[in-house]
Structure formats: C-alpha cells, structure tokens
Amino acid sequence: MALVLAAVAGPSLWLQRNVVDQDGFVALAGPLGGDKEFQESLTTLLSGQAAASLNLPSFLNKLAVEIINSAAQNIYSDPGYPQAWSETLQRSHALTFAAAGKSEVAEDLQLDLAPLVDLVAAKVTADVGATVPIPKEVVVGMEQPQIARALPLAVTLGGWSGWMVFIAVDLLALGVIVARRRALTVVASGVGLGIVALLWLLASGAAQRYLSALVLGPGSATQIGAQVAELARDSWQGGITLTFVLAGVVAAVGVASLVVGRRRTT
C-alpha cells in the first residue's frame, strides 16, 4: 500500500509544485522565453495580434505590419522582456485555472499576451514615434480542450499530494515495524522504491510524447506544448534520481541489517 501510494504521491507533488502553483509554473516555463526557436513562433503570434488591432487602409496596413514585425523580433533583447514574459505566464496561468472545470467558460488553455504586445507597441513608438492602438485584452486560445479538462484532476491530486506522501511514509514505517523479518522487509522496500522510480522514468517519456502529439492547434501552441513537455520531463528527472538514490540507501540498510543479524546468530 505504501509503494502504491508513493507511486501516485510523487507525480502529484510535482504537479502541485510545478503546474498548479503559479510561481512554480512560471519557474518551469520561464526558460521557454529564451529559446530561439520558440521566439520565432512567438514573434509571428505577437505581430498578428498587434496588427489585428489596426484599422488602416490596405496600402498602409502592410507597411505597419512590417514595422510591427520588426519591433516584435527585437523585443527579446529589450530589458523589459524578462518581466513581460513572466507576467504573461502569470496571467495565462491565472486565466487557465480560473476556467478549469467550469462548463460556462470555454475549456481551453489561455495565453494572455497583453504584456508582450504592450512591449511591442512601446518599441514601435520608440522607433518611429507612432502609437499602436492595443486592445486592453489580448487573449489567445491554445485549442487544447483535452489538457484543460484534465486540470481539475491535477488540482485535486496536487492538493492531496502532501497527505499522500505523509501517509505513504507512515505506512512504510509501520510495515517495517510489524514485519516478522524486518531487515528483509527493508530490502524489499528499497527494491520496491526502485521499481516505482523506474515506472516514473518510463512514464515521463510516454507523457512527453503524448503531450507533444496532443498539441495540434496553432503553430505557436504546438511549439509551446512540445517544449513545455520537454522542460517538464527535465524537471521531473530530479525527483526520479532522488528516488533511485533513496531506494539504494534503503536497500543497502536492509542488506547491512541482514548481514549483522546473520553474524549475531552465528
């Protein structure tokens, strides 16, 4: 029971800290903003959203779009970009989780680009002296209803993760205490934890492939989904490695206890 609960508790704790918690999500997805390939996709999205707010004749609109696109390509070296990207992630997280599980709200992942579009507008204003009219809200749907529908479950599992870890540890300790052959039980517990870590390792690769294949919406959504899935797997590797180490320590303690016990009997 302890091992089964631990197998669920580990990923649940990761979900709570890196997906449900806003600060954790910003820390997880933050490096995405510095990826060159992602920035190319983001530039196209930002240019389109900023240009959509213009109401100009066609011959002027084309020129304005080129100016906006140039400004969007240059915002990544702007001192305000890191803060704007962090604010984008914060606002997107809040919007998405506010809609999670509510049937009256469109079930989707929401990307709030307002801070970045404001940065593009400020860049255009500084470069050419022309003010770009920007709408108050610049929210883009990522067309990922399947992921959005799974968010309430992630919230529930994350909320229970701390208790699950606590109960799993208590059950493991209780199992050793009541066992007739405690040293052998400790060895078995270490081997069991190793198997749990191995299952996590296999599942992390499968989850990355699933998420990468699932994001089939706009090009920007595909890029975000694939790279966030990769970041998530890299983040989860720390927990898997720690569990492997813990499993080895527990098994070693059990083996040492067996050896000491046999020497005493002889």
Side-chain angles (χ1 to χ4, degrees), residues 186-202:
V186 173
V187 173
S189 299
V191 173
L193 281 175
I195 293 173
V196 168
L198 180 61
L199 292 175
W200 287 345
L201 182 61
L202 296 175

Side-chain angles (χ1 to χ4, degrees), residues 89 142 214 234:
L89 292 175
M142 294 286 96
L214 188 62
D234 291 343

Side-chain angles (χ1 to χ4, degrees), residues 96-110:
T96 296
F97 275 85
K102 296 182 180 180
S103 57
E104 67 274 13
V105 182
E107 291 185 334
D108 197 1
L109 303 185
Q110 306 290 327

Side-chain angles (χ1 to χ4, degrees), residues 92-127:
S92 301
H93 183 279
L95 277 175
T96 296
F97 275 85
K102 296 182 180 180
S103 57
E104 67 274 13
V105 182
E107 291 185 334
D108 197 1
L109 303 185
Q110 306 290 327
L111 187 61
D112 190 339
L113 295 173
L116 292 174
V117 173
D118 286 345
L119 197 62
V120 173
K123 184 71 174 172
V124 172
T125 301
D127 290 345

